Amino acid sequence: MDSTPIDEARQLLHDAIIHYKGKPVGTAAARDLNLASPNYADCFIRDFFPAGLVLLNDGKPEIVKNFLETVLELRNLQREVSGHQIHPGVMPASFHIEVDDDGNETRVPDFGDRAIGRVAPVDSMMWWVLLLGAYVRKTGDRDLAQSDRFQSSMRLSLELFLRDTFEVFPTLLVPDGSFMIDRRMGVYGHPLEVQALFYGLLQTVLDLLPDNDEACRRLRDMAANRIKTLRTYIRIFYWLDIERLSEIHRFKNEEFGTGSVNMLNIYPESIPDWVDTWLPEKAGYLVGNLGPGRMDFRYFAQGNLLAILFGLTTPEQSQNILNLYTARWDDLIGAMPLKICYPALEGVRWKMLTGSDAKNAAWSYHNGGNWPVLLWPFVAAALKSGREDLAEAAFEQACNRLPKDQWPEYYDGRMGRLIGRRANLYQTWSATGLLLSSQLLEQRQGLDLFPETPEIGHNEPSP
Ligand code: GLC
């Protein structure tokens, strides 16, 4: 009997599992024998997330526990990169197991000190905490999260994320390439994806940190407060629909003082030409980035979808983001779900913002490529918002192509019709994204693994 796409995806997941001293501890990023780069043999923290959820849904929490513990131990191994101390809360982007001639195994982490471009993995701590939250929700094993090691890890991360900075915004300031888009792409500052993950982390930690001592209580209060300010800020200032675009189009500038409307001094002249014709009437989205004098109007899929999933958007905003998908299906889903960002940077903008990065040429890789792994947040966000039809349509498209194309990492072209020029084949999260989507959609399993969204003080002011 022919194997189904789901059987094949399962086999890929199984083959990708890596072991340390006989125990399964993670998954290699790809099983391709002609890897585009040797670091794809590493287990990436963010890549393991969908694999971890699949394993939890399958009733195999042991490997998830091993992974969580391994990453925690690795964090303690390395304190110095390029001559300066890294904060003890920082987690590696990835790790691999090295075996010497005598068969001794060593775990080798990468804190960005080996990564291409030496990028700092800001999102690792967030994915790790989210996976811990899912593990606790699935197994009910609160003891692991309550253990001293795990508690101190969460506190360290929280202290790092909540410490005082030079900034006046509730959003988190990060360098370029510090998350899934781990190359220079003009995504420094306050990229939406990091804000959505930050929101998910805060909610998870609030659920897992006890309030039995003064220091913990102080952190919990700070986290609860940040959840509210972050949510209000994102819902108001990142939101873009046709009404808001009209307002921005007519913005006054140089407003000084507390009563300003155009608080960030965005110049209407900075609105790109494509926006007003592309934005449909009954739709909207959260913009990609926001800072002083800067609104990045590009649409970034993962940030918007995680925002829906974690309740960072209002229910109405969630519907409007999904309306954007129905109205712009070819642009945002195309031949292979899903477009990572829209539109691509071209010409001088590509040169300036990517540093002429050939891998990130227009409509390829991070710069407007289509990534199968993004299917799972789309399916989850659509199901959470009662839009099963969208989830099914995208899922079916992915099922029809992925096994035939040998599970590419990404696709190229405006509609994502071509297998990515430098894409690995047998990319693990392309398979686990499909598996998780099938569990969510066909078995109705797993939507409860994401952070809850208490709507404290829901009536947020409009801009
Ligand atoms: C690429 C992706 C990154 C991913 C890694 C391993 O660097 O940009 O998000 O974690 O490959 O798959």
Side-chain angles (χ1 to χ4, degrees):
M1 207 172 71
D2 285 350
S3 61
T4 66
I6 298 302
D7 296 338
E8 279 194 39
R10 273 196 185 287
Q11 188 60 43
L12 209 166
L13 167 60
H14 180 262
D15 294 345
I17 290 178
I18 56 180
H19 294 81
Y20 176 65
K21 301 204 165 141
K23 280 204 307 198
V25 290
T27 47
R31 296 279 303 149
D32 195 342
L33 296 179
N34 304 303
L35 285 177
S37 157
N39 67 341
Y40 281 104
D42 272 34
C43 173
F44 283 73
I45 314 309
R46 70 176 75 85
D47 292 40
F48 185 76
F49 185 78
L53 294 196
V54 167
L55 293 162
L56 287 176
N57 284 331
D58 277 349
K60 294 178 182 155
E62 255 334 282
I63 168 160
V64 176
K65 189 175 178 188
N66 294 343
F67 167 86
L68 292 168
E69 281 176 334
T70 301
V71 177
L72 205 60
E73 286 159 21
L74 286 170
R75 212 195 47 186
N76 299 328
L77 287 185
Q78 185 167 354
R79 290 279 62 94
E80 215 172 274
V81 252
S82 310
H84 67 266
Q85 292 287 317
I86 52 169
H87 187 280
V90 173
M91 286 182 171
S94 68
F95 66 89
H96 66 267
I97 314 293
E98 241 163 54
V99 189
D100 70 15
D101 293 344
D102 299 326
N104 300 315
E105 295 179 344
T106 323
R107 296 170 299 183
V108 187
D110 176 14
F111 285 86
D113 50 324
R114 287 187 296 119
I116 296 165
R118 301 291 184 266
V119 279
V122 172
D123 65 342
S124 289
M125 289 161 279
M126 299 163 166
W127 288 115
W128 183 89
V129 166
L130 286 164
L131 187 58
L132 174 63
Y135 171 87
V136 172
R137 258 176 235 116
K138 191 73 185 181
T139 60
D141 176 8
R142 286 190 88 83
D143 289 352
L144 184 73
Q146 301 300 328
S147 66
D148 287 350
R149 288 169 310 135
F150 277 65
Q151 285 290 313
S152 88
S153 168
M154 281 184 282
R155 285 164 66 150
L156 281 172
S157 300
L158 212 51
E159 272 160 19
L160 175 60
F161 287 131
L162 295 179
R163 75 178 168 190
D164 293 336
T165 67
F166 301 107
E167 286 247 286
V168 293
F169 312 116
T171 38
L172 205 65
L173 177 68
V174 298
D176 221 338
S178 56
F179 54 106
M180 177 185 179
I181 297 182
D182 58 359
R183 292 168 91 90
R184 191 178 154 199
M185 263 281 288
V187 290
Y188 60 89
H190 309 90
L192 176 66
E193 179 171 330
V194 168
Q195 313 313 322
L197 286 167
F198 182 34
Y199 187 73
L201 167 131
L202 290 173
Q203 294 182 91
T204 308
V205 169
L206 211 51
D207 184 38
L208 297 178
L209 265 191
D211 56 0
N212 50 9
D213 70 50
E214 195 43 48
C216 254
R217 266 197 296 278
R218 191 184 59 87
L219 274 178
R220 286 179 57 91
D221 286 349
M222 283 168 77
N225 201 26
R226 193 65 171 264
I227 285 178
K228 280 197 252 171
T229 51
L230 180 66
R231 187 173 59 201
T232 306
Y233 183 83
I234 297 275
R235 286 179 177 182
I236 295 176
F237 296 106
Y238 277 63
W239 184 249
L240 191 75
D241 56 16
I242 205 72
E243 246 171 66
R244 180 72 174 147
L245 188 64
S246 284
E247 283 164 17
I248 300 172
H249 178 66
R250 290 168 54 79
F251 262 169
K252 293 194 180 48
N253 289 91
E254 319 301 332
E255 295 176 310
F256 179 76
T258 47
S260 54
V261 175
N262 183 6
M263 196 173 81
L264 293 158
N265 202 30
I266 307 292
Y267 277 89
E269 290 78 0
S270 69
I271 302 173
D273 291 343
W274 58 268
V275 182
D276 84 302
T277 43
W278 189 72
L279 196 56
E281 275 301 317
K282 289 197 175 63
Y285 64 95
L286 299 170
V287 295
N289 213 323
L290 194 64
R294 173 183 181 218
M295 182 175 275
D296 185 340
F297 290 85
R298 282 176 292 172
Y299 175 82
F300 285 85
Q302 175 119 293
N304 273 279
L305 298 170
L306 293 181
I308 296 178
L309 194 53
F310 300 160
L312 179 53
T313 44
T314 65
E316 195 190 343
Q317 288 175 334
S318 304
Q319 291 300 331
N320 281 325
I321 295 170
L322 292 164
N323 289 345
L324 186 70
Y325 275 94
T326 33
R328 295 283 175 252
W329 191 266
D330 284 354
D331 290 336
L332 299 180
I333 303 277
M336 172 54 68
L338 248 65
K339 183 71 78 196
I340 192 168
C341 76
Y342 181 92
L345 298 167
E346 298 186 78
V348 175
R349 295 198 71 225
W350 165 75
K351 277 195 186 162
M352 303 276 290
L353 290 177
T354 72
S356 299
D357 184 342
K359 194 165 175 182
N360 269 337
W363 306 108
S364 182
Y365 201 46
H366 300 138
N367 187 15
N370 289 38
W371 287 67
V373 64
L374 296 176
L375 180 70
W376 80 258
F378 179 74
V379 165
L383 288 178
K384 182 178 171 185
S385 312
R387 306 284 290 268
E388 198 179 322
D389 51 328
L390 300 186
E392 260 166 16
F395 178 73
E396 214 163 286
Q397 268 181 242
C399 266
N400 289 343
R401 273 199 74 171
L402 278 176
K404 199 167 72 195
D405 292 347
Q406 300 173 302
W407 310 95
E409 179 190 15
Y410 66 95
Y411 287 75
D412 284 348
R414 277 173 190 270
M415 280 191 55
R417 296 177 67 196
L418 312 169
I419 296 177
R421 176 170 289 159
R422 302 182 194 202
N424 294 315
L425 299 178
Y426 301 103
Q427 183 81 11
T428 309
W429 68 0
S430 296
T432 52
L434 189 80
L435 277 177
L436 182 54
S437 302
S438 123
Q439 290 176 332
L440 286 160
L441 190 61
E442 297 183 333
Q443 296 159 32
R444 297 290 150 164
Q445 244 187 338
L447 214 48
D448 55 340
L449 297 182
F450 302 103
E452 292 294 322
T453 50
E455 285 283 334
I456 336 147
H458 177 51
N459 288 336
E460 264 127 33
S462 50

